[in-house]
Amino acid sequence: MKLKRTKNTPSVFLSVKECIFEIKGPSFAEHISEIYTPILQWIEEEIPLLSCELDCHFQIDVLNSVSYKNIIEIIMRLDYYAKNGKQIKIVWHYYTDDEDNYAVGNDLSELFDINFEMIEETY
């Protein structure tokens, strides 16, 4: 699954075959659920087929409350599959001076038992 980044939506690249899970960019469009609903559906259809270690990269520079809710749902589902034998890790990218994004990642890491890594990025 591939979606191109827009001014208000992240790029998305998901592939069980290539062991890629990336969501990058802003996430604050008015109808952002149109982006996340297919991702959630993809997780349900494709993650059961996963046969590799999957690092799920989130590099979201701006997000609204609806995006946050959807990201929680994504991580909740990934956590379920990790607890049921799939090798999945969440990788949360944040910029050095973005304390809010760091706090979001830190909060998410505390909500779930899934393997979680925080990566500091520079501009």
Side-chain angles (χ1 to χ4, degrees):
M1 168 183 208
K2 281 188 179 183
L3 300 172
K4 289 190 178 198
R5 178 181 173 153
T6 69
K7 185 173 85 171
N8 301 330
T9 63
S11 64
V12 176
F13 184 24
L14 311 175
S15 172
V16 166
K17 191 175 185 178
E18 298 176 56
C19 289
I20 295 173
F21 186 109
E22 295 177 345
I23 301 174
K24 295 182 178 183
S27 186
F28 62 93
E30 184 176 338
H31 302 289
I32 197 68
S33 291
E34 293 173 3
I35 297 292
Y36 289 106
T37 299
I39 294 171
L40 291 166
Q41 183 178 350
W42 180 90
I43 289 170
E44 295 305 315
E45 293 172 0
E46 298 295 324
I47 293 297
L49 307 174
L50 184 68
S51 61
C52 61
E53 293 182 29
L54 184 66
D55 290 349
C56 301
H57 292 269
F58 293 84
Q59 189 169 357
I60 302 170
D61 33 4
V62 180
L63 72 155
N64 62 14
S65 59
V66 176
S67 296
Y68 183 70
K69 178 183 170 228
N70 279 283
I71 290 167
I72 287 173
E73 182 67 28
I74 288 169
I75 296 174
M76 188 181 329
R77 290 183 189 195
L78 293 170
D79 185 49
Y80 167 81
Y81 285 108
K83 287 178 180 170
N84 285 282
K86 300 298 181 184
Q87 294 186 26
I88 300 172
K89 176 170 73 172
I90 304 299
V91 183
W92 189 266
H93 298 261
Y94 66 94
Y95 288 104
T96 304
D97 61 348
D98 191 347
E99 294 174 14
D100 291 337
N101 202 346
Y102 174 81
V104 168
N106 196 45
D107 290 347
L108 291 170
S109 73
E110 293 176 2
L111 283 174
F112 300 97
D113 292 329
I114 194 168
N115 191 0
F116 205 103
E117 181 180 356
M118 301 276 291
I119 295 183
E120 183 176 1
E121 302 284 344
T122 57
Y123 292 100

